[in-house]
Amino acid sequence: MNIRKNILTTVIGTALFIGLSASSIAATTLKLSHNHNRDHAVHKAMTAMATEVKAETKGEVIIRIYPDAQLGTQRESMELLQNGALDLVKSNAAELEAFSSDYSAFNLPYLFRDKQHFYNVQEGAVGEDILEASRSSGFIGLTYYDAGARSFYAGKPINSPEDLKGLKVRVQPSPSAINMVTALGGNPTPLAYGELYTALQQGVVDAAENNIPSFSLSGHAEVSKFMTLDEHTMVPDVLVISTKAFDAMTPENQKIVKQAALHSSQLMKTLWAESETKERTKAEKMGVTFINPDKTPFMEAVQPIYQQLTPEITALVERIKAVK
């Protein structure tokens, strides 16, 4: 009897071990890198996505999020993704322009009529085409995240393009961003986001441009006391996944991941609006003055940019303008 019991125990133990091992082998862990802190709305949206993916795939797909640029800057993370060391990266259209020219359309100043037009473009055929356009670069986009409108901030008021003349303005490493600041009379200075606080503090750059939550949460409101709401661009954040990681999943899990990403994008709209209100109030309490300028001189100054576009991007711009 004891011998039989011992054999049975061994068989059950072995079966459990094999089952656990098979389960472990079946589980896919996707590493996601982004450069914001845990309080940022986009981190909260992606956390909700990871929770949904784990539940809907019954643990077959797990997304592990690394915030605060733990795994490198956005550009470094994109390179790691292309090398297969990362699976998912939260980047933005400005950074992605270097990998797929279609993203440059999002970086053009004053292209979108309003926030609803911006959303309609992303959620329609044009937006999906842009997400797919980077497949030859080893990744595709899953969804867009609202990142508000980008505006200038500095240690002095900027009421018109004249006030930008001679200023060293930090920009993302995007040809479109560089061209825009040049058209407005500033000196564009590409710089990694993580280096910007010190650069502003020490006068390496005089000004920068970003949305209100990033301006506040990054601490830039401590060293730049004037933000001009010229709202020159609406550059979305973009969640991208390597084609290697995406194609390795079953069609069912691909659909779940895509759907969860879209759900998180909708959640992000609400989180973003709340964050924008909260962070503006916080910045104002820190002594920041928000300026509402006449946008007309800014809009007129950047029009030559549209004359320099390639035929392909001009056609894409026309598609975007045609979206209702």
Side-chain angles (χ1 to χ4, degrees):
M1 179 69 76
N2 286 336
I3 293 175
R4 183 180 177 185
K5 184 177 180 182
N6 289 339
I7 292 173
L8 188 58
T9 301
T10 301
V11 170
I12 292 173
T14 302
L16 286 171
F17 175 79
I18 292 172
L20 288 171
S21 297
S23 181
S24 299
I25 292 170
T28 298
T29 299
L30 304 176
K31 290 178 288 186
L32 190 168
S33 172
H34 72 87
N35 64 348
H36 293 296
N37 62 41
R38 287 174 172 81
D39 292 328
H40 198 282
V42 77
H43 179 79
K44 296 175 182 177
M46 289 188 294
T47 298
M49 177 191 71
T51 300
E52 181 178 340
V53 167
K54 183 178 180 180
E56 292 298 316
T57 64
K58 297 179 173 57
E60 287 183 16
V61 180
I62 296 170
I63 297 175
R64 186 170 295 159
I65 304 174
Y66 296 86
D68 292 313
Q70 293 175 33
L71 303 182
T73 64
Q74 282 187 162
R75 177 56 66 91
E76 290 167 344
S77 293
M78 285 302 302
E79 291 170 355
L80 288 171
L81 179 138
Q82 288 186 304
N83 292 335
L86 281 174
D87 306 294
L88 293 148
V89 173
K90 191 288 297 174
S91 187
N92 60 45
E95 291 272 4
L96 293 175
E97 180 180 348
F99 299 90
S100 178
S101 62
D102 283 14
Y103 279 104
S104 65
F106 284 115
N107 305 319
L108 292 169
Y110 301 108
L111 174 59
F112 298 101
R113 295 187 296 272
D114 51 35
K115 181 64 72 102
Q116 192 57 54
H117 180 219
F118 177 63
Y119 288 150
N120 291 346
V121 169
Q122 292 176 35
E123 295 168 9
V126 179
E128 280 299 318
D129 287 348
I130 293 174
L131 292 178
E132 283 288 333
S134 59
R135 181 172 283 277
S136 62
S137 294
F139 66 90
I140 56 172
L142 287 175
T143 194
Y144 300 96
Y145 289 123
D146 193 349
R150 297 178 74 92
S151 296
F152 291 108
Y153 53 91
K156 71 166 195 174
I158 297 172
N159 295 296
S160 71
E162 288 291 319
D163 296 321
L164 284 167
K165 287 188 175 178
L167 295 188
K168 291 174 288 184
V169 183
R170 180 268 174 176
V171 294
Q172 299 181 86
S174 152
S176 296
I178 291 170
N179 290 341
M180 179 192 68
V181 170
T182 300
L184 291 169
N187 296 326
T189 307
L191 190 71
Y193 186 67
E195 300 172 14
L196 183 52
Y197 181 96
T198 303
L200 286 165
Q201 188 179 48
Q202 297 179 353
V204 175
V205 295
D206 305 302
E209 51 89 47
N210 213 321
N211 53 61
I212 293 173
S214 292
F215 168 65
S216 172
L217 288 167
S218 62
H220 297 173
E222 298 172 5
V223 289
S224 296
K225 295 301 182 181
F226 296 91
M227 188 169 199
T228 299
L229 301 178
D230 61 293
E231 299 182 320
H232 44 263
T233 52
M234 293 182 185
V235 181
D237 280 344
V238 187
L239 179 63
V240 303
I241 184 169
S242 77
T243 52
K244 181 179 178 181
F246 189 74
D247 293 343
M249 289 188 285
T250 65
E252 182 180 359
N253 285 344
Q254 288 177 350
K255 184 177 179 180
I256 288 171
V257 169
K258 176 69 174 179
Q259 197 65 38
L262 293 174
H263 290 163
S264 70
S265 179
Q266 294 303 313
L267 172 61
M268 181 66 178
K269 291 180 183 180
T270 301
L271 293 174
W272 184 263
E274 294 172 352
S275 178
E276 205 166 55
T277 300
K278 175 184 175 183
E279 296 306 324
R280 173 168 179 165
T281 299
K282 191 165 76 175
E284 287 173 335
K285 288 180 180 178
M286 294 170 65
V288 173
T289 297
F290 286 88
I291 300 166
N292 290 292
D294 177 5
K295 295 181 184 179
T296 304
F298 291 90
M299 296 174 73
E300 291 175 346
V302 299
Q303 287 311 301
I305 292 175
Y306 285 87
Q307 310 306 316
Q308 302 165 10
L309 300 177
T310 65
E312 293 78 14
I313 299 304
T314 297
L316 184 56
V317 166
E318 292 306 313
R319 285 185 68 196
I320 289 172
K321 288 181 177 179
V323 173
K324 302 300 183 183

